Amino acid sequence: MLNSYKSGRMKRNPEVILSSATQNQQLLELEDALKRLGGLYDALEVFVPAIHFQGNAPFRTFRVSDDEHTDSLACYLKGVKAVSTLNASLVLLRSGYTQEVGALCRMVDEACNEILFLIKPENENALSKSQEQFLDSFYQEEFNDFKDILKAHNPRHTVPSQKIHASIAKTMAASINPSDGQAMTSVVQKTLSGYIHGAYPQIMEMYGGNPPHFHMLGMLGTPRIAEWLSQLISYTDKLIIISTLVARKLGALGIEKLIKDLKSEFEITFSTRSDLSPAEMIKAANKFR
């Protein structure tokens, strides 16, 4: 807890709290990895439908033709959003805003889950009703008529997260018990949601120091920086893995290989490779104290 450190002379455990120099170096390496991943998403753009400038002034904007609203395009756009969100997280972490990093990690986690949900049709070669509902909601415009936005706002009929988590768990059935997989995904999402909605346990992570106080100008110099740097490494690693699936879905096999090369380099740089199976990881997590 934050009460374990004092302002200005925090007690550092070298095995838990990274040195400032090490943190800066890892942030630079994360920035580089995300810059490369963003460049690969730029290269993937030629594999998605053309984007057009459409609409009437002053509400003109960029869109893809309605008849090209595919699951592949949705996966690509979710990946683009996740890369941007992780880049924003690095900016916030450099200023010490760990609570806000937690909220953005929740967004990245959701984007990754939604890509996994869409990456393969549930009914052999056809999308399931839940997948079709997801795409309808995703591509839905916020307003039918900008002249009267109060009356023209469209309700969004989203797919419950439980259905998305259950679907992902089924695809992992060969390596993990589906109920365990679904439970783990749900627990992670609900925990991170506390940073978005301002849950009591998450807010109290801001408290500490000598004298104890709420850190409302960021948490530089506290153990929280190392904790959330580790989380950003994990989510960047996860997004790189999922991005290989996005490239494969788009038929961009050459770019898929480049993303796999990035993944291999990332594993070496951050020692993210694990010999544990997914089932063993969950077993270890359940024993964590």
Side-chain angles (χ1 to χ4, degrees), residues 199-218:
Y200 170 70
Q202 283 80 352
I203 292 175
M204 292 309 296
E205 290 178 6
M206 299 168 63
Y207 197 75
N210 187 17
H213 64 285
F214 284 103
H215 290 66
M216 291 176 279
L217 294 175

Side-chain angles (χ1 to χ4, degrees), residues 69-79 110-122 126-136 138-139 159 164 167-168 171 242 245-246 249:
H69 287 175
T70 64
D71 52 338
S72 298
L73 175 61
C75 288
Y76 171 76
L77 294 175
K78 288 288 183 179
E110 183 171 272
C112 289
N113 288 339
E114 289 170 342
I115 291 172
L116 289 175
F117 175 63
L118 293 173
I119 209 72
K120 184 179 179 181
E122 290 187 326
L127 295 174
S128 67
K129 290 184 178 180
S130 293
Q131 288 174 318
E132 290 178 348
Q133 179 185 344
F134 181 94
L135 292 175
D136 288 342
F138 174 70
Y139 287 114
V159 178
I164 293 176
S167 175
I168 296 171
T171 65
I242 287 175
L245 303 178
V246 174
K249 188 173 183 66

Side-chain angles (χ1 to χ4, degrees), residues 20-38:
S20 178
T22 302
Q23 289 176 356
N24 286 334
Q25 181 60 35
Q26 289 196 324
L27 280 169
L28 288 171
E29 289 167 340
L30 271 179
E31 288 171 352
D32 179 67
L34 286 169
K35 182 177 180 180
R36 290 175 60 187
L37 185 60

Side-chain angles (χ1 to χ4, degrees), residues 19 28 44 98 116 120 143 173 177 183 210 239 255 262 281-282:
S19 70
L28 288 171
L44 282 173
T98 57
L116 289 175
K120 184 179 179 181
F143 302 99
N177 183 303
N210 187 17
L239 181 58
I255 298 176
L262 174 59
M281 289 180 185
I282 286 184

